[in-house]
Amino acid sequence: MLSLKNVQHYYNSATAVDLPDLILNSGSETLILGMSGSGKSTLMHILAGLLKPSEGLYTLNGTELYSMKESDRDQYRGRNIGIIFQQMHLISTLNVFDNLKLTQYMAGLKQDIGWIEQLCEDLDFTEKMKSYPDELSQGQKQRVSIARAVVNKPKLLLADEPTSSLDDLRSNDVIALLKDQAQKSSATLIVSTHDQRVKSHFSSVVNIDNIQIELV
Ligand code: ADP
């Protein structure tokens, strides 16, 4: 279970991002919907264990991420949280296969080549396994970044604005792939977007528009 309670983040003395309380069951699928500037990326970074909130409590499966030492949190993230951000941050000097292998290695997990091959097949880029990120189309890079996010079989899968630059068909495909991969890992899936098209794919939608407060 994931729980977020009374969480606020102050980037500076003038503005706070005030986030909604969340209680999400393991394996659930949730869409965070909000306009640009409403706090979606802030929320996703907090959920990913990458941004310690100024106030409030975040627990994931009983673990309080921000009471851990940073190095422990990094290891916890590597093993339990898969992240798909807008900037894909694939390592340009490694081919696709090695990008995926490195993700297992960095989390201190045993290499599972069979699972990597299976993912490449599931996500339809087997023929690009030996290619470098610069040799891939945007769509292929995105599928590789989905594979990288699930390669360690995370319990939480986060995707920040995964459809913003895609046409309707590709947008539907990406959401279907995310849901499919989350189900295969029994992961909790959280997708954030400003894209109203995505709404119809989720039964649970949290709207975070207009939640910023101005500090006085
Ligand atoms: P969204 O992802 O919905 O576009 P963000 O979480 O990126 O929203 O931003 C929420 C608000 O937090 C923004 O309007 C901005 O004012 C503020 N903010 C985000 N990042 C920073 C930052 N690094 N420094 C200062 N303010 C920031």
Side-chain angles (χ1 to χ4, degrees):
M1 194 175 83
L2 178 157
S3 160
L4 194 71
K5 201 161 168 41
N6 299 329
V7 169
Q8 288 195 337
H9 189 67
Y10 316 126
Y11 281 108
N12 52 49
S13 58
T15 311
V17 180
D18 189 11
L19 294 169
D21 286 353
L22 294 176
I23 294 185
L24 306 179
N25 289 326
S26 298
S28 59
E29 298 172 344
T30 303
L31 183 70
I32 306 291
L33 190 64
M35 295 180 301
S36 174
S38 60
K40 299 181 299 298
S41 290
T42 305
L43 172 61
M44 297 303 261
H45 280 78
I46 290 171
L47 295 177
L50 290 165
L51 178 68
K52 182 174 182 170
S54 313
E55 306 275 352
L57 190 64
Y58 170 42
T59 57
L60 181 58
N61 298 329
T63 301
E64 266 183 52
L65 264 76
Y66 292 105
S67 58
M68 288 177 170
K69 272 199 320 207
E70 202 172 327
S71 55
D72 291 344
R73 190 161 62 244
D74 287 344
Q75 189 179 57
Y76 182 91
R77 182 187 317 107
R79 293 187 173 193
N80 295 282
I81 303 178
I83 307 169
I84 300 149
F85 284 154
Q86 289 173 62
Q87 293 301 321
M88 293 174 231
H89 303 299
L90 296 170
I91 296 177
S92 60
T93 51
L94 295 179
N95 67 30
V96 165
F97 189 70
D98 289 341
N99 263 278
L100 297 176
K101 256 184 13 186
L102 182 71
T103 307
Q104 288 181 334
Y105 175 79
M106 294 293 279
L109 297 173
K110 210 167 136 273
Q111 279 193 1
D112 186 346
I113 304 296
W115 170 234
I116 293 179
E117 286 170 352
Q118 174 73 51
L119 274 177
C120 295
E121 206 178 305
D122 275 8
L123 290 160
D124 198 20
F125 56 79
T126 301
E127 79 287 359
K128 297 286 179 187
M129 255 162 61
K130 298 287 171 195
S131 301
Y132 289 84
D134 286 351
E135 298 166 341
L136 305 177
S137 71
Q138 277 304 105
Q140 286 163 341
K141 273 188 208 166
Q142 196 170 30
R143 294 206 302 278
V144 173
S145 73
I146 293 174
R148 186 182 53 182
V150 297
V151 73
N152 293 342
K153 302 184 179 161
K155 288 291 145 235
L156 174 63
L157 182 57
L158 301 169
D160 193 14
E161 296 275 11
T163 61
S164 51
S165 58
L166 304 177
D167 60 31
D168 290 355
L169 198 64
R170 285 187 192 282
S171 161
N172 289 343
D173 281 355
V174 164
I175 297 298
L177 284 175
L178 287 170
K179 287 180 142 199
D180 186 44
Q181 290 300 324
Q183 278 164 18
K184 283 180 176 155
S185 305
S186 305
T188 305
L189 173 66
I190 303 180
V191 175
S192 86
T193 192
H194 70 281
D195 182 349
Q196 296 283 341
R197 294 175 301 180
V198 182
K199 219 166 141 181
S200 61
H201 297 274
F202 287 81
S203 52
S204 169
V205 179
V206 176
N207 199 309
I208 65 164
D209 276 351
N210 305 317
I211 47 102
Q212 278 187 69
I213 54 171
E214 290 295 317
L215 296 179
V216 286

